Amino acid sequence: PAGGVDAAPLMELFRRMFDAAVASAQPQNCLPPHLPKPPKGRTVVVGAGKASAEMARVLEAHYPAPVEGLVVTRLSLIHI
């Protein structure tokens, strides 16, 4: 704009920063490094909350043995 600052580059920077923050908080990106080694025997997952279903899915994908349990979210009940 005439005499002003072009905000488009800043908006693009802020958008990229926001997208990077959201991506880094996704369970598939942040959970695996913190998972313990799979226990001997069975694994039971119990979860509640908006992110619990995705977190349970990530755990199930990273453990070789069967995982079972119950996860309750705001909109659904999921049996693993």
Side-chain angles (χ1 to χ4, degrees):
V5 176
D6 183 6
L10 280 177
M11 293 303 292
E12 177 60 28
L13 172 63
F14 293 150
R15 183 49 153 177
R16 287 197 325 264
M17 291 170 61
F18 175 80
D19 291 344
V22 169
S24 70
Q26 296 303 307
Q28 68 267 19
N29 297 329
C30 64
L31 188 60
H34 301 286
L35 292 174
K37 292 181 181 178
K40 295 178 181 166
R42 70 187 232 190
T43 301
V44 177
V45 174
V46 177
K50 293 182 285 186
S52 61
E54 182 63 17
M55 293 172 89
R57 188 195 67 74
V58 170
L59 179 116
E60 186 177 31
H62 282 82
Y63 274 19
V67 175
E68 59 184 274
L70 179 70
V71 174
V72 178
T73 68
R74 188 177 77 116
L75 299 175
S76 62
L77 174 66
I78 301 164
H79 293 275
I80 300 174

